[in-house]
Amino acid sequence: MLIAQISDPHIRPAGQLYQGVADSNRMFEEAIDHLHGLDRKPDLVLLTGDLVDDGRPDEYAQVRHLLAKLTIPYLVIPGNHDHRENFRAAFADHAYLPAEGALHYCIDDHAVRIVALDSCIPGLHHGGIDAQGLAWLQRTLETDRIKPTLLMLHHPPFMSGIPYMDTYRYMDTAPLEAIVRSASNIELVLCGHVHRTMLRRWAGTVVCSCPSSTTEIALQLAADAAPASFMGRPGCMLHLWNEAHGMVSHVSHIGKMQGPYPFA
């Protein structure tokens, strides 16, 4: 099974730029075209939050317009720039999304089980999951301790070392970590939020963050570093599951490169 992941497109109303700089709508279209042009078609696309920039209905209308071009089945979760109720209304035809409350769900129709968590706290930018959501996760994981499982949420559940990102990270990770650690069949935890790829061993599994299809947040590790981003190379992730070999993840850069050349 090949699972593609796109994150943090920050879609704007038609004709408007993200942060006055990036044409996030065009770049999202290019990301969709990129998936369609891969030499192996993904079986599923995961969109791990911040689909839009301000959570406004006109932005969601635009993202649905752009997603209409995607010919691959896809699943969505919100990010801290999304508005939960506007998000729910925009994707009302996605029957897997709960009709009320946090947008946690489980999809068990594929070779890999997908468990999605809504790590957003309405009105705030840092992440967390309340006791009710954690109890839902515990029950959901307990129903199948064998099938390979992929967990996705927007906020990475660890410190990145980038100070201006860590101020609104997933804050209280210990309860989530205990639940995840109890499920040995979680192959991978996917997230977005940081607009760059990071890997960390956590809770007995591996966490992988996805680059943005728009801008790249600067890798600055000094404690007094000021927030900064680049118009870096946009990308997505490809997560390849094989029953014999498990899960392997690749960064897939979006856009034209020199080549291909006849060597490897």
Side-chain angles (χ1 to χ4, degrees):
M1 181 180 183
L2 182 61
I3 301 168
Q5 181 188 4
I6 296 177
S7 201
D8 298 83
H10 288 271
I11 297 303
R12 300 287 289 139
Q16 295 187 25
L17 300 178
Y18 170 59
Q19 297 294 330
V21 174
D23 189 350
S24 56
N25 297 0
R26 174 186 56 79
M27 297 172 84
F28 189 53
E29 288 187 278
E30 291 174 353
I32 291 172
D33 290 342
H34 177 74
L35 296 184
H36 289 159
L38 293 171
D39 66 342
R40 175 173 170 179
K41 181 179 179 180
D43 301 289
L44 184 65
V45 179
L46 306 179
L47 297 165
T48 48
D50 282 359
L51 272 64
V52 305
D53 194 39
D54 286 330
R56 290 161 32 188
D58 55 347
E59 292 178 324
Y60 286 113
Q62 182 68 10
V63 80
R64 287 308 306 259
H65 169 71
L66 297 173
L67 282 168
K69 301 174 183 178
L70 182 62
T71 62
I72 306 164
Y74 66 90
L75 303 173
V76 295
I77 56 170
N80 55 294
H81 282 261
D82 289 300
H83 181 283
R84 183 178 288 163
E85 296 312 318
N86 290 344
F87 186 103
R88 195 193 319 268
F91 293 97
D93 56 324
H94 286 232
Y96 57 85
L97 291 174
E100 58 184 21
L103 297 172
H104 312 309
Y105 61 87
C106 177
I107 302 295
D108 208 1
D109 301 336
H110 306 284
V112 175
R113 192 182 196 211
I114 309 294
V115 177
L117 293 172
D118 179 353
S119 61
C120 301
I121 303 171
L124 301 174
H125 280 293
H126 68 269
I129 298 171
D130 63 15
Q132 184 177 0
L134 292 171
W136 175 89
L137 176 61
Q138 182 80 61
R139 292 192 304 271
T140 300
L141 294 177
E142 286 175 351
T143 62
D144 192 331
R145 295 296 199 186
I146 297 173
K147 187 173 182 178
T149 297
L150 186 155
L151 185 67
M152 66 172 180
L153 69 165
H154 182 66
H155 298 80
F158 59 85
M159 294 280 286
S160 71
I162 303 172
Y164 42 83
M165 294 304 300
D166 288 336
T167 57
Y168 52 100
R169 66 189 186 276
Y170 190 114
M171 290 296 184
D172 183 13
T173 62
L176 176 63
E177 181 175 359
I179 294 170
V180 172
R181 190 176 293 279
S182 72
S184 61
N185 57 327
I186 297 179
E187 293 284 331
L188 191 62
V189 179
L190 301 183
C191 50
H193 190 54
V194 290
H195 289 220
R196 56 184 308 111
T197 305
M198 300 187 303
L199 296 172
R200 189 182 190 277
R201 184 75 176 168
W202 177 80
T205 185
V206 175
V207 184
C208 177
S209 67
C210 184
S212 170
S213 60
T214 305
T215 54
E216 180 179 68
I217 287 175
L219 177 57
Q220 299 185 111
L221 303 178
D224 60 351
S229 291
F230 290 96
M231 289 294 294
R233 189 69 181 269
C236 61
M237 298 297 297
L238 299 176
H239 308 286
L240 180 63
W241 164 256
N242 179 282
E243 187 173 358
H245 305 293
M247 185 81 77
V248 61
S249 298
H250 300 267
V251 178
S252 186
H253 296 295
I254 299 166
K256 293 182 179 180
M257 295 178 281
Q258 292 185 357
Y261 301 104
F263 56 80

